[in-house]
Amino acid sequence: FYSFVPSMSWQTKARFAFAGAVVGAGAKYGYDEVLRKREEDSKPHAVLLRLSGQIGSGKGSAISSSKPLNLQNYESQLERCFKKKSGAVAILLEVNSPGGSPAQSSLLHSRLLYLKKKYPDAPPVHAFCTDVCASGGYYIASACDEIHVLPSTIIGSVGVVSPSLGFVEFMRKYGIEDRTMHAGKSKIGDHPLAPRNPEAILQKTAILSELHEDFMAKVVAGRGDKLKHAAAVAYQREVTGESEPWTIFDLLTFGLFKSVEVTADHTSPLFDGSVYTGVAAVQLGLADSLYEDMEEAVKEKFGEDVRIKELKPKPSITDLVEELSEGGLKGAGASFAEGALSHVNSALVEATTK
């Protein structure tokens, strides 16, 4: 090498030699890391993906680490969960969402079912719910093979809501006039600036009912006979303090006789929008089991040698800044790399100026 650059000073040659040693060491380390990761991947492990936040459309900000929970933002990670074959004993979805968009909830639910069909040899999917798994969050979780909850998890809310306010009296009081124009009698619907329109209310109610029917159908398809509607009725009577005794009609209606099945519709306390704690959810069939610590629960179910391997999203600018600001080995490693690059740059500058 040196014979090709006789004009270089010994300092320049030393810099190149140092840079070469750094690159060689890095390549060796990288190769060792690849082998290590392959060996680790072949060991029993569970793949973890965290699904957290409000369910809605959009990609979110590149600056912030927070982003909406939707298929667009999690599609590739879900695919990776199911693609991992050797050694994977379970797919873990940590769900922490109060719900949001019915459409985005449906897209995530449908993609989970599709991936289970696309990869029939994939391990079972387990939802581990944390703070809240309600409404759209539960919609998504119902596609999993099992649902696990903390005793304090708030779960359920199988229903649909459309918040709305009316300002007609306020406008009349302060002399404000609504001049909204529209073509098509149903275009403005139940407008907050206009008096209630009975026809528009019926139309909105029909839409909410259709969305609710879809939600209930997905939960029934996912949970099936695990749902305990009769127990939910008894639980609701207990917590609401209803003192009326059960009649023969009640017993027949809510299936306390084994020969009669409960109809899973919007009249069931499980489907009327009610929320439950994790303890009650397990009793009523909305969830399968309680857990205190995810790692402990996974080891108890799949073996002590199973480790959890998390799939993390691409870091945002904020995440990168925080990581660069951390001290310790990361800071030392960054300084070392910066010094090596500085040596290489200086050597190149000197070589080109001779």
Side-chain angles (χ1 to χ4, degrees), residues 193 234 247 309 343:
L193 304 183
T247 66
K309 183 174 183 179
H343 276 287

Side-chain angles (χ1 to χ4, degrees), residues 33-324:
E33 275 294 291
V34 170
L35 294 180
R36 185 188 66 80
K37 287 183 177 179
R38 286 182 178 177
E39 182 181 357
E40 288 293 319
D41 286 342
S42 64
K43 295 179 180 180
H45 65 275
V47 184
L48 169 63
L49 177 62
R50 302 182 193 273
L51 303 177
S52 178
Q54 189 81 13
I55 302 171
S57 59
K59 297 190 68 175
S61 172
I63 298 177
S64 174
S65 58
S66 62
K67 57 183 179 181
L69 178 53
N70 57 46
L71 182 59
Q72 180 184 20
N73 289 332
Y74 287 89
E75 183 175 11
S76 60
Q77 294 174 69
L78 285 172
E79 186 87 21
R80 287 170 58 196
C81 285
F82 283 83
K83 274 186 175 179
K84 290 186 174 294
K85 296 179 180 178
S86 60
V89 297
I91 297 171
L92 313 178
L93 300 181
E94 184 185 84
V95 182
N96 184 14
S97 174
S101 165
Q104 296 300 326
S105 302
S106 178
L107 285 171
L108 283 165
H109 177 277
S110 298
R111 181 52 59 92
L112 282 171
L113 296 182
Y114 167 72
L115 290 173
K116 290 166 76 172
K117 291 181 180 179
K118 183 178 179 180
Y119 300 99
D121 296 330
V125 184
H126 292 255
F128 280 83
C129 308
T130 56
D131 298 85
V132 61
C133 179
S135 197
Y138 189 74
Y139 193 130
I140 297 169
S142 66
C144 299
D145 296 296
E146 291 188 17
I147 300 175
H148 311 281
V149 291
L150 296 166
S152 55
T153 297
I154 300 301
I155 187 171
S157 189
V158 181
V160 186
V161 62
S162 176
S164 179
L165 297 173
F167 299 94
V168 176
E169 294 300 324
F170 175 85
M171 294 167 60
R172 183 180 293 116
K173 180 178 179 180
Y174 290 97
I176 302 173
E177 181 183 3
D178 175 27
R179 296 183 178 179
T180 303
M181 299 178 65
H182 60 94
K185 66 173 185 177
S186 299
K187 183 61 178 178
I188 62 173
D190 186 24
H191 201 282
L193 304 183
R196 300 304 298 271
N197 183 335
E199 185 176 345
I201 294 173
L202 291 174
Q203 290 174 339
K204 180 183 285 188
T205 301
I207 292 173
L208 296 178
S209 296
E210 289 181 20
L211 294 174
H212 195 192
E213 290 290 339
D214 172 72
F215 194 170
M216 291 187 292
K218 295 300 191 301
V219 174
V220 170
R223 300 298 296 169
D225 294 337
K226 294 179 180 180
L227 298 171
K228 302 173 183 177
H229 297 280
V233 173
Y235 176 86
Q236 187 183 61
R237 289 190 173 219
E238 180 181 352
V239 297
T240 57
E242 292 186 14
S243 57
E244 294 83 357
W246 283 64
T247 66
I248 295 296
F249 176 77
D250 292 330
L251 296 174
L252 289 171
T253 301
F254 296 112
L256 295 188
F257 292 134
K258 294 183 179 180
S259 60
V260 179
E261 293 184 359
V262 177
T263 302
D265 58 20
H266 65 279
T267 61
S268 169
L270 296 182
F271 291 163
D272 67 357
S274 297
V275 293
Y276 302 89
T277 64
V279 175
V282 173
Q283 296 173 350
L284 304 179
L286 289 173
D288 294 284
S289 69
L290 295 170
Y291 77 98
E292 297 289 346
D293 179 84
M294 182 193 296
E295 183 176 353
E296 181 183 11
V298 169
K299 288 182 178 295
E300 287 179 357
K301 192 171 187 66
F302 297 103
E304 286 295 325
D305 57 340
V306 173
R307 62 186 181 84
I308 295 177
K309 183 174 183 179
E310 181 179 355
L311 290 182
K312 295 184 178 180
K314 293 181 180 179
S316 65
I317 295 176
T318 304
D319 295 330
L320 292 175
V321 171
E322 289 179 354
E323 184 174 347
L324 289 174

